[in-house]
Amino acid sequence: MRNRLKVLRAERDWSQADLADRVGVARQTIVALEAGKYLPSLALAYKFSALFGRPVEAIFEPPGAPDAEPA
Amino acid sequence: MKQTSPPLVNPTVAAGRRYLLRFGIAMAAAMLLIVLGATWGAGLHGLASYLVAVAPIVPLGVILYAAIAYVRDTDELQRLRTLEAIGIAFAISTLVVVGYALLEDAGAPRISAWWAWVLLMGSWGVAGIVRGRCDG
C-alpha cells in the first residue's frame, strides 16, 4: 500500500526515528510503513493524520486505488 | 528547517528497554540458580534437592512475564511480528519434539528435555530475526 509518509517526513526534515518518537512506534515500524509492507490500524493512521494535520486519505492510499498521486 | 518539539518518551522504545532489562536480570539469575543446583544442590537429598532443582523456574517465570509485558506495551507491528515469531517457534518446536518422541519410541537414544526449551527459544529468536528482515 502506498502512502506519503516519507514525503511528509522529509518536508519536516525528520528522521525515521524522529517520526517514530512522535507517534510512539518503533523505527522499524516506520521503515515497514514507508516501504508499503504494512497497513496501519485506523488508530495509528489517525495519529499520523493528527501529526501532519491532513486527513487519513491524504496520507494513505487505500489498496486498489488508481495510480494517480494523492491530493 | 528541522522542526523541534519537547523531548518525547517513545512508549515502544521504553517497552523494549524494560524487556531487555528484565530479561537480562532474570536470565542471569536463572543461570546462577541452575549452576548452584548442579553443584551445591547435588549434595542435598529429599525435598531440599527438589526445591533447589526447581528454583530456576522463578526467574524463568519473570522472563515469561517480561515477554507478555513487551507484547502488551509495544506498538502494533512489533506486537504482530513478536506473536508471529512465537507462533512459528511453537510450530517448529512441536514438529521436532513430537518427531523425536516418535523416534525415541522406535529406539533412538533418549535425550534431555532441556533440548525442547533450547529448540523453542532458538527457533523463536531465528523466526524473529527472519521476520524482521522481511520488513526491510
Side-chain angles (χ1 to χ4, degrees):
Chain A
M1 185 178 124
R2 289 173 306 172
N3 61 69
R4 302 192 70 230
L5 284 181
K6 192 170 184 175
V7 173
L8 293 168
R9 175 172 66 78
E11 285 173 358
R12 289 154 180 79
D13 198 19
W14 290 344
S15 66
Q16 290 176 328
D18 291 334
L19 180 55
D21 286 344
R22 281 171 164 80
V23 291
V25 301
R27 192 186 66 81
Q28 294 91 327
T29 300
I30 299 297
V31 172
L33 285 165
E34 288 188 354
K37 292 182 176 176
Y38 176 62
L39 184 65
S41 69
L42 196 55
L44 182 54
Y46 273 118
K47 280 190 182 178
F48 286 113
S49 172
L51 179 67
F52 291 122
R54 294 177 185 229
V56 170
E57 60 271 25
I59 302 173
F60 298 97
E61 277 188 48
D67 285 345
E69 281 293 308
Chain B
M1 178 69 73
K2 186 164 184 165
Q3 297 183 17
T4 58
S5 66
L8 301 166
V9 177
N10 185 329
T12 296
V13 173
R17 286 181 182 152
R18 275 197 305 274
Y19 171 74
L20 287 177
L21 182 66
R22 288 167 177 163
F23 178 88
I25 292 172
M27 185 56 85
M31 292 298 114
L32 180 66
L33 289 172
I34 289 169
V35 170
L36 282 177
T39 54
W40 177 68
L44 299 174
H45 301 283
L47 181 62
S49 68
Y50 290 138
L51 288 175
V52 169
V54 82
I57 282 296
V58 175
L60 292 176
V62 172
I63 292 175
L64 182 64
Y65 166 76
I68 292 169
Y70 175 74
V71 167
R72 184 192 60 211
D73 296 338
T74 193
D75 75 50
E76 60 187 49
L77 180 58
Q78 304 311 311
R79 181 181 304 121
L80 177 65
R81 295 297 179 250
T82 302
L83 293 176
E84 281 178 346
I86 290 172
I88 291 167
F90 173 80
I92 292 171
S93 301
T94 299
L95 285 175
V96 173
V97 169
V98 172
Y100 197 78
L102 293 170
L103 287 174
E104 280 187 338
D105 289 344
R110 292 204 172 271
I111 58 175
S112 170
W114 275 110
W115 287 105
W117 184 66
V118 171
L119 176 67
L120 180 64
M121 292 295 111
S123 53
W124 181 9
V126 170
I129 291 168
V130 170
R131 200 63 191 83
R133 284 183 184 274
C134 291
D135 286 333

